[in-house]
Amino acid sequence: MSQRVNLDLKKELFLYGAKEWNQCFQCGNCTATCHTTENGFFFPRKTVRQVLMGLKKSLQTNIDPWLCTYCGDCSRTCPRDANPAEMMMSIRRYLISVYDWTGISKLFYKSKTLEVTSIIVLSIIVMVLYLIYTTFPSGDSSQWIGPDGGALINKMAPWQTIHLGDWLMAGALVFLVITNIFYMWYKIIYDDKSLKVGFIDYLKPFSKLVKLINPDVKYAKCDEKKLTTYWVLHAFLALSYGTLFAIIVFFLDWFQTDTVYPFLHPQRILGYIATIGLTVGIIYFYTNRTLKNMENSKYSHFTDWTFLILLFFTTLTGILLHVFRIYGLPQLTYVTYMLHLMVLVPMLVIEVPFSKWSHMIYRPFALYFAHLKKMVIEKSKTIPHQPQYN
Amino acid sequence: MEGIKTTAVFFSNSSRGDSDLIDIPEIINYTEKLIKVNSVWLQDDINIYSPELVSRKIRKDNIRRIVIAGQNPGMYKSLFAKAIVLAGFSPDDVILASFPEHGALIKSDTEWAKAIVACAVNNIPFENATLTEEISVNPNTLVIGGGIAGIQASLEIAASKNKVYLVEKSGTIGGHMAMFDKTFPTLDCAACILTPKMVEVGQHQYIELMTYSEVKEIRGIPGDYKVKILKKARRMSLSKCIGCGVCAEKCPVKTPSEFDSKTTLRKAAYIPFPQAVPNKYMIDESVCTYVASGKCGICAKVCPVPGCINLDEKDEIVEVNVGNIIVAIGFKTFDASKFEQFGYGRFPNVLTSLELERLINASGPTGGKIARRIQDKKGNWIFSPEEVYSPKSVAIIHCIGSRDENHNKYCSKVCCMYSLKLAHLLKEKLPDSEINEYYIDIRAYGKGYEEFYNRIKEEGVNIIRGRPAKVEMYGNELIVRCEDIEGAAMIEQKVDMVILAVGTEPAADARDIAGKLGISVDRDGWFNELNYIGDPVSTLSSGIMIAGVCQGPKDIPDSVAQASAAASRVLQSISKGTIRKSVKTLSVEQIEKRSQELSKILEEKL
Ligand SMILES: Cc1cc2nc3c(=O)[nH]c(=O)nc-3n(C[C@H](O)[C@H](O)[C@H](O)COP(=O)(O)OP(=O)(O)OC[C@H]3O[C@@H](n4cnc5c(N)ncnc54)[C@H](O)[C@@H]3O)c2cc1C
Ligand code: SF4
Ligand code: SF4
Ligand code: SF4
Ligand code: SF4
């Protein structure tokens, strides 16, 4: 496959956070160190090579960076300090923008100002909508307090109203995510003319379901032991996030109640555990990124920080909202709820389809596609000729 | 005359932000004050892809001459030459001021770099502006280090019937070369070349050999140095010892042998190796029980020559007067245990190249048999001479510690070639074995080298491009994990033995010696030469020459050539009877003034 060399590719990747890649002298140390390397997937060296040579098309259809778990082994031992691991991270950011057919992701990754402005604009829209469709607790304050002492939240912002907004937002997100994944499939599988994928083939990777669901199982093979903590906390954070997301979108009526349930009620227990997951995760990732004490936290792109900051404020306002509601402070509850939505909505709308968060969706699919590809190649038995330079 | 402020000085960016590099901003400050300088250009001021734009700048600023200063000014010469021609002037007026070429490499050389710029601005060759006056010279010479370079230099000078003091730190001369069996690329027997030279040094009437000695102090100026040498006590008389070896036989203390790369043990009473020069036994004070506690003394009792062993002998300091000094202290090899992933020190059959050199050598621990280490009954790992244990497959890994940002950044220059040599010797001794070389790039420059490389390939050695990530041990087997880049495959090769091609590093006391001599070392610790291209044997101090690997990685032919060059430089001053004063006696101001004067004289003549 001949392709044009794109000299701007390197410069472009800088915007996505790539470092010192130019140092690489193609020694193959990283490939040999990497625990995810298997025959057929020679990376990260091969991927770095694509960048060095400006093979944009190869890079865009490259799935390998998603296999990387950022264990950092390659960067630690690279004789040229070429930071292959951070290169993979940057390429993942780049690929997120490639899969996003709307092109919005690209704009966010390249411009801090644009991302921040969008967040603010969205916040304001949310605020306006909130003020229009909800009622401020005024007059006799006792009418806003329920029999068990909690603020009557559903009287100010009925869950039905919020739910409607949730669904509108979720619908848009689902649409974007699905179309993006379709585009990813198109680029990676469909466009690769050397692959002949039959319908049955699509089912095969599920035989390796464990690997698909849990890519990080492979961390076990890595050298750095700190990674176990990393992985546990990362999973806890992701799980907490997912749980709260599901509750809000599908079971808001169960979660947002006027009754204050006893402490051990499932509603409260679940909420507390998830909150702990978020808090511990945020603190851990924040310290990691500030102390830079691991290979995978040495470099931070501004989008990494945006996500963390939005998540922090969402959690903080969430906790405050809960406290104010339970202790029957209607005005504060009303305002905090507004603030909560003002950070929550931009976080979801911007991060889910267009930025950091989307790796949660792309990575499992990428792994799925990678296994699919590998199985199809193995089936045809002839391992395709791997030209040295792409 | 169209005014005198017509020179522009362009500073090329120094490589990656290294804190110990020359202080460019300070030099820029200095340059801007020079009379002839019109403007200083930095990389950002110049579009290096467009001679047209530069030529416009030349005309606009009324520039007639351009000086390019920095680490690598030659890179920009063609750009500025084109630009100045486009502007209507002569390309001869583009002048290079290369810092490394004149010995300015690190931060402490910043002053020196200023002088380099000043000379270029005045269009006077640096060498001319830094000529110093001649003073008379003492015809005796001190050579420090008795490796092949030191030996060669000593012999050259002594051949002209001038006195040489050769100071060697260990108990024998010969250096690293004495450890090898064969040398690349001719596969000549190393001992056949080296031993006659060593013997000649030992017997030469004009060479005073001082082994087991170190230079303590150096005072004086070029042409007249006073050197204090510490002669450590051998505790055995050089004149009386008959080399019978009874002392060593009976000595109860064992310690690893340096000569055998620590693959064997020697006694505290020992001779470094059978062909050592001087061919006499000595006592290693660092392990001898008598020296430590006053008990033992067995050697003295068994020695057949009365009065030969004097266990209470004390170190001695001798003082010599010399006019010139040649430094040839060689190198040490990279410590392979710094690479945890290759298991050196943990896995008994992971060896360094220097250890393999000894294994291959007929005088080595196995008498030249290639053997693997196996566990004996007591659980110790020993080289087994039995045929069944000879390795069936060997992996040689290149660039250990060299070309590595985490260790030494430079290429050690000899390891590719000696690895190929070792592969050949292994193949010769074990024709059925499989030899794999893992390399990043093969550096086989020079006469007969590429041919040597091709020959080794034809002999059936597998040459694999890819740097292994790790070596693991399962049972007695070693597994090398590597990407075969050209074959597009991941390999996990089972081998019996792994050889690490360790790079070269400056000798342990290089910085210390440099301090005593008042010469400088570069960032990596190699001695700085006066002019890397034009004068690679002199240093900033005119009575001090450098030769061999201590100046930078090189092989034996290059070391010998450089040693001869250093000797000829010394002989030049001896036969003239005078030597120039050290250029270091000149200050930046003096050099600047000198170059101005010279340039004035030149302009008047024109
Ligand atoms: C494994 C290996 C294999 C090699 N094979 C080859 C080959 O086949 N062909 C080839 O051309 N080159 C080969 N080389 C390179 C070769 O070893 C060097 O080029 C050569 O030894 C350089 O000689 P030298 O005299 O500069 O240094 P050295 O041989 O290191 O000699 C330096 C001497 O100085 C002494 N000394 C050190 N410090 C002091 C001090 N402070 N005071 C006094 N004395 C001191 C040391 O004891 C030593 O005797 C090989 C190198 C290695 C590591
Ligand atoms: S990124 Fe580093 S380890 Fe990987 S091939 Fe390049 S230089 Fe080697
Ligand atoms: S960071 Fe780890 S998983 Fe990622 S490419 Fe490097 S070695 Fe492989
Ligand atoms: S005194 Fe004893 S330990 Fe020392 S060299 Fe003589 S025999 Fe060996
Ligand atoms: S000579 Fe060869 S093995 Fe040695 S450092 Fe250079 S490239 Fe590496």
Side-chain angles (χ1 to χ4, degrees), chain B residues 555-566:
Chain B
D555 55 13
I556 296 167
D558 284 358
S559 299
V560 169
Q562 198 181 18
S564 300

Side-chain angles (χ1 to χ4, degrees), chain B residues 398-399 402-403 410-416 441 443 501:
Chain B
H398 285 219
C399 294
S402 318
R403 306 181 68 199
Y410 52 84
C411 163
S412 290
K413 205 169 168 182
V414 288
C415 11
C416 274
D441 300 288
R443 306 215 155 153

Side-chain angles (χ1 to χ4, degrees), chain A residues 20 23 25-29 31-34 37-39 42 45 76-81 223 386 388, chain B residues 16 341-342 403-406 409 439-441 465-470 481-483 485-486 488-490:
Chain A
E20 293 288 9
Q23 295 301 318
F25 60 19
Q26 292 287 300
C27 68
N29 179 72
T31 311
T33 327
C34 180
T37 305
E38 288 169 47
N39 261 336
F42 301 111
R45 182 194 60 78
R76 253 193 304 284
T77 53
C78 167
R80 300 286 291 163
D81 268 353
D223 290 345
Q386 300 262 351
Q388 191 191 342
Chain B
R16 294 207 270 158
Q341 63 263 48
F342 297 134
R403 306 181 68 199
D404 192 326
E405 294 291 317
N406 309 313
K409 297 185 187 177
Y439 72 98
I440 303 175
D441 300 288
R465 171 151 155 68
R467 178 190 160 97
K470 53 171 92 111
R481 189 177 151 87
C482 179
E483 178 187 10
I485 296 178
E486 281 170 359
M490 266 306 298

Side-chain angles (χ1 to χ4, degrees), chain A residues 191 261 288 292 294 328 348:
Chain A
D191 230 11
Y261 289 111
N288 257 0
K292 306 179 190 298
M294 273 162 74
L348 292 176

Side-chain angles (χ1 to χ4, degrees), chain B residues 236-247 271 274 278-282 302-309:
Chain B
M236 292 191 186
S237 160
L238 271 177
S239 55
K240 289 185 185 147
C241 175
I242 52 170
C244 69
V246 179
C247 50
I271 183 162
N279 204 251
K280 309 284 173 179
Y281 280 74
M282 58 192 281
V302 297
C303 177
V305 186
C308 169
I309 300 187

